[in-house]
Amino acid sequence: AQSVTQLDSHVSVSEGTPVLLRCNYSSSYSPSLFWYVQHPNKGLQLLLKYTSAATLVKGINGFEAEFKKSETSFHLTKPSAHMSDAAEYFCVVSVEAGANNLFFGTGTRLTVIP
Amino acid sequence: SAVISQKPSRDICQRGTSLTIQCQVDSQVTMMFWYRQQPGQSLTLIATANQGSEATYESGFVIDKFPISRPNLTFSTLTVSNMSPEDSSIYLCSVGQMLAPSYEQYFGPGTRLTVT
């Protein structure tokens, strides 16, 4: 069975400080892992993905995530938060290439304080 | 990545009526999906829209309530039938593309439905 747990439903950071959004997964197979961002009243945008290549994955807008198999984690980080980063972030796992079985986490709402 | 549009972007409907949501993609894609995002919740897959055949529904979703059409490789519709306030959600269309070495899904902007 596969599942995704986002440990924080809400994270609040000050502008210019680091961002950490936590994600743990459970999978019987080698997973592909994704982070999506959803800005208010907008669709989902793919931030980055892990597909069994490099464990440190760089995405758009300065975000990156590190796949740690021993910890079954795929935390999203950014060195310095911008106001425009305020959004909902979803950690997603897929266990079969070419399949539609994406499993979404419950989401983490990021607030950036000026 | 594919560019996906949805119509309408939002609607307010009365209970008992039906709404058809359209999804248009700027390129031919094999896999198209429909998701529901209830208020404050994550995404739940409703069904896979198969071109030329019936959609494949996930547990808890049935064709009578959510009929889906997929007449070609760039277009699909989702109908929410006999609506109740519990159907108030964002409905999102997505497409799957194999971009080696992995498979990715891209999402439309969503349709925000409010049922009164």
Side-chain angles (χ1 to χ4, degrees):
Chain A
Q2 42 280 327
S3 65
V4 176
T5 302
Q6 291 185 244
L7 297 160
D8 306 296
S9 60
H10 188 198
V11 170
S12 184
V13 301
S14 297
E15 189 176 16
T17 64
V19 176
L20 170 64
L21 305 183
R22 297 183 293 167
C23 173
N24 286 94
Y25 71 92
S26 171
S27 175
S28 304
Y29 306 96
S30 296
S32 293
L33 293 157
F34 309 81
W35 277 97
Y36 283 86
V37 60
Q38 186 178 37
H39 287 93
N41 300 315
K42 293 192 176 180
L44 287 155
Q45 181 182 19
L46 179 64
L47 271 180
L48 50 79
K49 65 178 181 180
Y50 165 78
T51 58
S52 75
T55 56
L56 182 62
V57 182
K58 294 187 183 300
I60 61 172
N61 301 334
F63 284 93
E64 61 183 38
E66 186 171 9
F67 173 71
K68 292 186 177 181
K69 186 174 181 179
S70 60
E71 299 177 8
T72 62
S73 70
F74 191 57
H75 301 333
L76 182 70
T77 60
K78 182 173 181 178
S80 175
H82 295 166
M83 295 299 297
S84 60
D85 294 329
E88 189 87 17
Y89 291 80
F90 293 96
C91 182
V92 182
V93 62
S94 172
V95 296
E96 276 185 59
N100 63 328
N101 51 347
L102 295 187
F103 293 87
F104 280 78
T106 51
T108 298
R109 180 168 298 276
L110 175 65
T111 299
V112 182
I113 303 168
Chain B
S1 63
V3 177
I4 306 164
S5 60
Q6 286 185 233
K7 290 182 182 179
S9 58
R10 59 178 62 226
D11 207 343
I12 301 173
C13 301
Q14 292 190 342
R15 67 176 69 204
T17 63
S18 298
L19 175 71
T20 295
I21 302 167
Q22 299 179 4
C23 177
Q24 180 75 53
V25 188
D26 68 342
S27 59
Q28 293 187 339
V29 292
T30 304
M31 308 185 81
M32 292 182 75
F33 310 99
W34 288 97
Y35 287 83
R36 181 175 72 181
Q37 186 179 22
Q38 294 177 299
Q41 303 294 316
S42 187
L43 276 74
T44 302
L45 180 64
I46 298 172
T48 302
N50 301 308
Q51 196 268 328
S53 64
E54 270 194 8
T56 305
Y57 289 84
E58 298 299 307
S59 176
F61 298 96
V62 295
I63 188 171
D64 289 346
K65 176 67 176 177
F66 297 103
I68 288 170
S69 78
R70 179 88 191 271
N72 56 53
L73 292 175
T74 64
F75 186 78
S76 178
T77 67
L78 168 76
T79 299
V80 186
S81 303
N82 188 24
M83 288 183 284
S84 66
E86 291 71 33
D87 294 321
S88 298
S89 295
I90 299 172
Y91 292 86
L92 296 110
C93 168
S94 80
V95 302
Q97 290 186 314
M98 177 59 73
L99 297 173
S102 72
Y103 164 87
E104 295 181 6
Q105 279 194 26
Y106 298 94
F107 289 82
T111 295
R112 184 178 295 272
L113 171 61
T114 302
V115 184
T116 60

